[in-house]
Amino acid sequence: MEDPIGQAAALEVCGLRKAFARPAVDGLDLVVHPGELFALLGPNGAGKTTTLRMVAGLLRPDAGRISIFGIDALADPAAARGITAWLPDEPLLYDRLTPLEYLEFVAGLWSVEPALARARAQELLEFLGLWPHRDERCEGFSRGMRQKTMLAGALLHEPRLLILDEPLTGLDAAAARDVKTLLQARVRAGGAIILTTHILEVAERIADRIGIIDQGRLRAVGSFAELQERHGGGSCTLEDIFLGLTATQPA
Amino acid sequence: MTPGSTLWLLRHDLQLLWRRGKQSAINDTLRLLGWASLAQLVGLGAAAYLTSLPTGMAGEPVIATAALVFIALFTLATALPLAVETLFERPDLEWLLTSPLPFHRVLAARLIAVSLRAGLFWLLLLAGFANAMALFGRPAMLALYPVALSLSVMASCVAFAVVVLLVPRIGLRRTRAISAALRVLLGAAGGLMGQYNTLFSSEQREAVWQAVAPACCAAPTGLSWWPARAALGEFWPALTLSCLALALAWFTIHALHRSFVAGAGIGAERRPAESTTAAGLHRRFTGGTRLVLLRHELRLLRRTPSLRRYACGQLIYLVPIAVALWRGGSGILITAMLLPVYISGELAMLFAATASAGDEASELARCAPMPGARLYWGRLQAAAAAVLSIVAVPVLALAAWRPADAPLLLAGIASLMGVGLMVGSWSGLPARKCDLGAARLATRGLHLSGFVINLSLTATLWLGHSGNIWAFASAGVAAIAILLTWLGAPFRLAKHATA
């Protein structure tokens, strides 16, 4: 699928299905455009993380198609992984590595040119306030510091598509603002971001478009204004829309 | 049991210390009973042998003292890491410290729990022996019960003191590293005591005996002989030792509980590290993907205390062999040659298993555009490099000393390392680099198959070297063990994947 200006969609998901004991994702269709921040919202167990893990190549879908900037992610996963980055909700780091050593490893995995990797690492660590901690092992880091270290790793190779699962959970206000600024800069630079969050205000404020998923199916998608227009009216909040869409669906 | 009492806390601590796997309480009890029965059998054998010897052995106090020192060293070596874990690494630490429970009660419960856990092995073994000696007509030997418990309590007190005093001063990570190093040294000291006959010539042993025998056999009344006399069943020494242990425990609890709280507060704090300079930064991010991967894996292996401890523990075995060779014992040359071969196989298997299955951030590598095969080989190369860096010195020394036997030595190391790397990479065990010790139950299968494979392959080399036909049988055992491990690998991998 191509977007209105003829560029391949950043992410195109068609008929995606995945079942464990019961269907987790059930025929999901989704498009994220380049230069767009897309927020995927849904109650616990709605299938958000499963969707993102399939997009990141960590789970094989039972059916469906995933295309990342025109690359078939199921047919050529290595090429797709080369231009994406995945940030899980649980910040799993190497406790015995320092942030610099972690970024060094990430640069090696993505074959980033050394000089560029060095400069990017310093820039990201400085921006995220981790430069003074660059040589401390991650084992003593707070959740926020771990999350920021992982985010630096995710951004090091300048991915075109960022897949973020609850990136703001556990961050303090200042750290959350840094992360939001970084994400918005990435979007302005032409990258695309798909993220999940339970903080509806974040989605309302920074997302270009919002998708609401429940029981593995996309219930609504559009900008906040479009969702307001379709599902409530001018005065309703995203919370009203979200609760209205997710509470009334049949089990 | 009143909630909040020392006994209640003790039960909680024992549950945490004892239940290392997902086993039920019944399995735990059966396991304990099994070990106790085995210890009883061993004790019966040992007691039957000792009572068959001529009575009135002159060296009994010396042997008893040596045994007690040996046991104390091993108990202390076990208690040190347990103290670090129990005092500062439990997720329930802050919960307990913010509760209205008195701190000394928490410390007391933990001290008793660690004493029981650290001394359990020796307690079972000595209990079996004491029971058997009582059956054979020496009921006084039942004094070994309080003696074993007292030793365990005293060793745990020392371990607690070391840990509690170190953590506020040097931080948790360094304390963990020091306790691991002390554990290796104490274990090695105990192990070397067991090699007394190999390490010392008959003249040296005779000189030692002449030095201690008069004091021991003529009148073993000095204070230094009291522990031995307690172990041999004398009432007052046994009672004194027990009281001493209780007093030391009381003193430890009351003297250390404030430091314990202080340490708990700062245990997780980060200490400022030396910062990378611009030149230092320039040295980073160099080399290709292979080199980065190799460096990364070697770094993680090197920074894993349990692996360091294990590797050192293996190398300690080489010390008595080296001493014997130095003293001109060419009769053990083949043992000297085969021991590094065996150790290489053991380490290769463990390192390969840890590198391939112990990725703490496995999703990162899985999301990378790097082919899985390159990652796999990179990890095996790192494991091989780590093993070679450990065994290089003894192997090169042996090869230089006996160039004619060097091809056998090198071929043996290459083959055992190859098999070790292969089998280790099949493991798929949920081992974590950060604490392989905690995954001990999970790695038990690997250790068992590794032991059988390495032993049979080493035996093949040994038998083959002397032209013995049984080398084929030994090779067959190795092949069957490798096959069985390979057949079991998919099952374990699947189990791990669904965990």
Side-chain angles (χ1 to χ4, degrees):
Chain A
M1 179 182 172
E2 302 217 330
D3 75 356
I5 58 166
Q7 198 178 2
L11 171 66
E12 187 187 353
V13 168
C14 292
L16 201 64
R17 283 179 201 281
K18 182 73 188 176
F20 299 107
R22 61 176 183 82
V25 176
D26 193 8
L28 187 79
D29 295 312
L30 191 68
V31 175
V32 179
H33 304 291
E36 183 177 65
L37 197 155
F38 187 93
L40 194 59
L41 310 179
N44 293 330
K48 306 183 294 294
T49 300
T50 306
T51 303
L52 293 197
R53 287 174 69 82
M54 284 192 281
V55 172
L58 292 168
L59 271 179
R60 185 95 191 159
D62 295 340
R65 194 168 65 80
I66 299 168
S67 166
I68 297 171
F69 283 99
I71 300 167
D72 186 338
L74 300 178
D76 190 358
R81 287 198 293 252
I83 56 168
T84 57
W86 157 248
L87 187 76
D89 58 339
E90 192 62 38
L92 295 171
L93 276 173
Y94 295 99
D95 281 349
R96 295 185 194 283
L97 294 189
T98 67
L100 263 183
E101 289 166 350
Y102 175 72
L103 296 184
E104 192 183 348
F105 179 52
V106 173
L109 287 178
W110 265 267
S111 305
V112 184
E113 199 268 316
L116 180 66
R118 207 175 293 134
R120 285 284 293 157
Q122 184 164 358
E123 181 192 336
L124 284 165
L125 291 180
E126 278 176 348
F127 182 82
L128 292 166
L130 289 170
W131 186 246
H133 306 288
R134 63 192 177 277
D135 293 313
E136 292 170 18
R137 292 196 191 175
C138 298
E139 60 191 349
F141 280 11
S142 66
R143 187 192 163 100
M145 289 168 80
R146 295 169 75 91
Q147 190 85 353
K148 287 197 283 188
T149 308
M150 287 199 70
L151 186 65
L155 292 170
L156 187 77
H157 62 282
E158 301 194 312
R160 296 177 70 188
L161 174 67
L162 257 174
I163 308 157
L164 313 172
D165 193 9
E166 300 285 349
L168 302 173
T169 305
L171 297 186
D172 61 29
R177 191 186 58 190
D178 289 346
V179 171
K180 281 186 275 188
T181 308
L182 209 54
L183 297 184
Q184 283 166 331
R186 192 81 216 118
V187 168
R188 279 197 299 275
I193 296 174
I194 179 167
L195 61 82
T196 66
T197 180
H198 283 295
I199 312 168
L200 299 183
E201 291 79 7
V202 169
E204 194 175 319
R205 284 177 56 190
I206 67 168
D208 298 307
R209 285 195 308 139
I210 296 164
I212 297 177
I213 185 174
D214 190 25
Q215 293 172 20
R217 292 180 190 165
L218 199 61
R219 302 295 180 191
V221 66
S223 66
F224 176 51
E226 287 168 348
L227 290 178
Q228 267 184 322
E229 195 179 315
R230 278 183 235 145
H231 299 282
S235 63
C236 70
T237 62
L238 183 57
E239 188 180 33
D240 297 329
I241 298 168
F242 176 83
L243 291 175
L245 283 167
T246 56
T248 55
Q249 299 302 326
Chain B
M1 209 173 284
T2 318
S5 65
T6 307
L7 276 179
W8 179 81
L9 284 168
L10 178 64
R11 191 185 64 173
H12 168 73
D13 271 282
L14 283 175
Q15 273 178 346
L16 292 175
L17 277 173
W18 181 249
R19 287 188 193 170
R20 301 229 156 201
K22 290 179 178 174
Q23 305 197 349
S24 66
I26 295 173
N27 280 345
D28 288 337
T29 313
L30 286 176
R31 199 151 47 107
L32 186 62
L33 283 175
W35 283 115
S37 309
L38 191 64
Q40 191 57 68
L41 283 176
V42 173
L44 276 170
Y49 171 73
L50 284 178
T51 48
S52 71
L53 294 176
T55 52
M57 271 175 64
E60 266 190 356
V62 179
I63 295 166
T65 303
L68 291 181
V69 172
F70 183 79
I71 291 169
L73 286 175
F74 271 109
T75 311
L76 183 56
T78 313
L80 274 166
L82 281 177
V84 176
E85 180 199 325
T86 309
L87 290 177
F88 296 110
E89 294 187 329
R90 289 262 187 81
D92 65 354
L93 177 64
E94 291 188 352
W95 171 73
L96 282 172
L97 292 180
T98 51
S99 73
L101 296 175
F103 298 144
H104 62 80
R105 196 179 293 170
V106 176
L107 200 59
R110 293 192 168 192
L111 180 66
I112 300 170
V114 167
S115 301
L116 290 175
R117 182 69 181 79
L120 184 67
F121 174 76
W122 298 108
L123 187 62
L124 287 178
L125 211 59
L126 291 178
F129 179 66
N131 295 341
M133 288 300 275
L135 270 179
F136 286 110
R138 285 185 66 176
M141 290 295 284
L142 289 173
L144 275 174
Y145 276 93
V147 169
L149 270 174
S150 304
L151 269 188
S152 185
V153 168
M154 287 194 276
S156 301
C157 287
V158 174
F160 268 46
V162 170
V163 170
V164 167
L165 294 175
L166 280 181
V167 167
R169 285 162 184 81
I170 62 170
L172 183 57
R173 184 164 63 82
R174 288 193 179 95
T175 305
R176 203 189 292 135
I178 287 177
S179 76
L182 283 174
R183 182 181 180 181
V184 169
L185 287 175
L186 291 167
L192 292 179
M193 274 184 72
Q195 298 295 324
Y196 176 73
N197 283 342
T198 315
L199 287 170
F200 296 101
S201 63
S202 54
E203 294 80 27
Q204 287 167 326
R205 291 200 299 271
E206 184 59 29
V208 172
W209 176 248
Q210 289 305 327
V212 296
C216 143
C217 306
T221 50
L223 270 182
S224 56
W225 294 109
W226 274 47
R229 289 170 57 193
L232 293 171
E234 284 191 44
F235 177 74
W236 288 111
L239 184 66
T240 309
L241 195 68
S242 306
C243 292
L244 194 65
L246 284 175
L248 188 63
W250 185 89
F251 176 77
T252 304
I253 290 161
H254 286 85
L256 291 182
H257 79 267
R258 286 186 206 289
S259 298
F260 165 53
V261 177
I266 69 156
E269 266 187 18
R270 294 180 309 280
R271 301 195 147 242
E274 201 175 305
S275 292
T276 302
T277 57
L281 185 63
H282 189 75
R283 279 196 297 274
R284 292 189 182 280
F285 297 95
T286 50
T289 305
R290 282 177 199 280
L291 191 61
V292 168
L293 187 59
L294 185 69
R295 204 158 47 204
H296 169 77
E297 291 298 332
L298 280 174
R299 199 175 263 153
L300 290 177
L301 289 172
R302 198 177 61 235
R303 291 181 186 175
T304 305
S306 51
L307 289 184
R308 286 203 304 257
R309 198 170 61 225
Y310 187 79
C312 291
Q314 294 282 314
L315 288 178
I316 291 297
Y317 292 125
L318 293 175
V319 174
I321 298 288
V323 171
L325 277 177
W326 177 66
R327 289 214 327 261
S330 56
I332 61 160
L333 180 67
I334 188 67
T335 315
M337 290 285 191
L338 291 175
L339 203 54
V341 172
Y342 176 81
I343 289 172
S344 304
E346 278 277 297
L347 293 179
M349 195 171 294
L350 187 63
F351 287 5
T354 309
S356 59
D359 198 340
E360 292 157 90
S362 59
E363 288 191 349
L364 177 70
R366 284 167 63 199
C367 289
M370 180 185 283
R374 191 189 291 178
L375 201 64
Y376 174 81
W377 285 113
R379 286 173 167 166
L380 289 196
Q381 281 169 13
V387 176
L388 287 176
S389 68
I390 289 169
V391 298
V393 173
V395 166
L396 289 177
L398 276 169
W401 186 52
R402 297 287 296 231
D405 293 313
L408 171 74
L409 180 68
L410 297 177
I413 286 185
S415 54
L416 257 81
M417 263 184 64
V419 171
L421 291 171
M422 181 177 72
V423 173
S425 69
W426 291 341
S427 67
L429 296 166
R432 293 190 310 144
K433 281 190 185 76
C434 59
D435 187 8
L436 201 71
R440 206 178 327 166
L441 280 175
T443 54
R444 195 169 46 189
L446 178 74
H447 277 299
L448 185 65
S449 56
F451 176 72
V452 174
I453 292 167
N454 283 322
L455 200 66
S456 45
L457 282 178
T458 311
T460 306
L461 279 174
W462 178 49
L463 295 168
H465 179 255
S466 54
N468 193 317
I469 194 85
W470 283 100
F472 289 105
S474 183
V477 171
I480 291 169
I482 292 170
L483 182 70
L484 288 175
T485 312
W486 180 71
L487 288 173
F491 166 71
R492 284 201 300 273
L493 286 168
K495 196 174 166 190
H496 176 40
T498 54

